[in-house]
Amino acid sequence: MTENPAFDEMFAGCKQSAMHLEMRDMYTPGDPVYLDWKAGIKVDAAERWRDWFDLMTATTSRGVEVRRARVVSEPITDFIRHEYELTEDLNIASGEHVRWLPRRRASDLALPGNDFWVFDQDRVRFGYFAGDGRYLNDEIVTDPAVVKLCVSAFEAVWGRAIDHKDYHPV
C-alpha cells in the first residue's frame, strides 16, 4: 500500500479551494495541546500548532479559499470546546473560514460516513478514526461521483451552519 501525500503536499498543489467537514465529537484524545488545555494551561494555539498555522497562512495567502465546517453534538464535548476556544487564534487567524452546525440541525442532510477534505473539487481525502477519536489512517479518492457527493454534503452543511463569530456553544 502506498502512502498518501502529506497535508503540506496536498495544500501546496491546491489552486482554488479546500473544504473540510468534521463530524466527530472527539479527536486524538492524547494530543498534548488538548491535554494541556484540559489541565487549565493557557495554550498559544498558533505557536503550539505552528506547522498547521504556517501551512494555512501560506495556502490562504496564495488565494486558496479554505473552509472548515464542524457538525457538533450539543451540549458540546470538552474536546469540541477546546477546538472552539482555539479556532479564532489558529484557524481564523491563519485565513480559514469556520462554521459550526449543531447536529440536531443536520438530521435531514445526507452526509458521508467519515470526515473529509476536498481539494480543488477533484479529490477527497477521507480521514478514518477509531471510536475513541484516535487517528487510524486516510484515503484519497478521485472518483467524480464521490467527489460530487462530498462537495454537495459540505455545501449543504456550510449553507446551514453558523459562522464562528456568531456561534455560541452550549
Side-chain angles (χ1 to χ4, degrees):
M1 178 175 179
T2 60
E3 265 192 49
N4 290 325
F7 271 107
D8 57 346
E9 295 173 47
M10 299 285 296
F11 280 102
C14 192
K15 294 177 178 33
Q16 298 173 342
S17 67
M19 53 185 79
H20 185 37
L21 184 61
E22 296 178 21
M23 299 180 286
R24 298 183 54 84
D25 289 322
M26 181 67 188
Y27 295 91
T28 58
D31 173 42
V33 177
Y34 170 61
L35 295 175
D36 284 352
W37 174 88
K38 195 168 180 177
I41 298 168
K42 180 161 174 41
V43 173
D44 180 340
E47 191 54 42
R48 294 288 295 271
W49 286 94
R50 175 56 55 195
D51 290 345
W52 185 259
F53 184 87
D54 291 347
L55 178 60
M56 288 302 97
T57 300
T59 301
T60 58
S61 295
R62 290 192 341 264
V64 174
E65 180 182 48
V66 179
R67 296 185 292 161
R68 178 185 302 262
R70 293 173 169 148
V71 178
V72 295
S73 300
E74 291 181 324
I76 62 172
T77 63
D78 283 348
F79 192 89
I80 296 301
R81 184 162 307 282
H82 151 261
E83 282 190 331
Y84 176 80
E85 290 182 8
L86 300 184
T87 293
E88 187 69 37
D89 294 335
L90 178 62
N91 307 101
I92 306 294
S94 65
E96 288 186 53
H97 303 282
V98 179
R99 292 188 182 177
W100 302 82
L101 182 62
R103 193 171 310 281
R104 71 180 181 280
R105 293 181 53 196
S107 296
D108 61 341
L109 299 179
L111 302 175
N114 295 288
D115 290 11
F116 60 83
W117 280 93
V118 176
F119 294 93
D120 288 333
Q121 297 195 22
D122 65 8
R123 61 201 174 284
V124 176
R125 185 176 188 141
F126 287 107
Y128 301 124
F129 295 84
D132 65 0
R134 286 177 295 116
Y135 169 77
L136 298 174
N137 59 16
D138 52 57
E139 174 184 20
I140 295 176
V141 177
T142 57
D143 178 334
V146 174
V147 173
K148 182 178 179 181
L149 170 72
C150 291
V151 168
S152 176
F154 180 88
E155 294 296 355
V157 169
W158 189 259
R160 198 175 280 189
I162 303 161
D163 191 88
H164 177 73
K165 68 179 174 10
D166 298 319
Y167 179 65
H168 305 288
V170 294

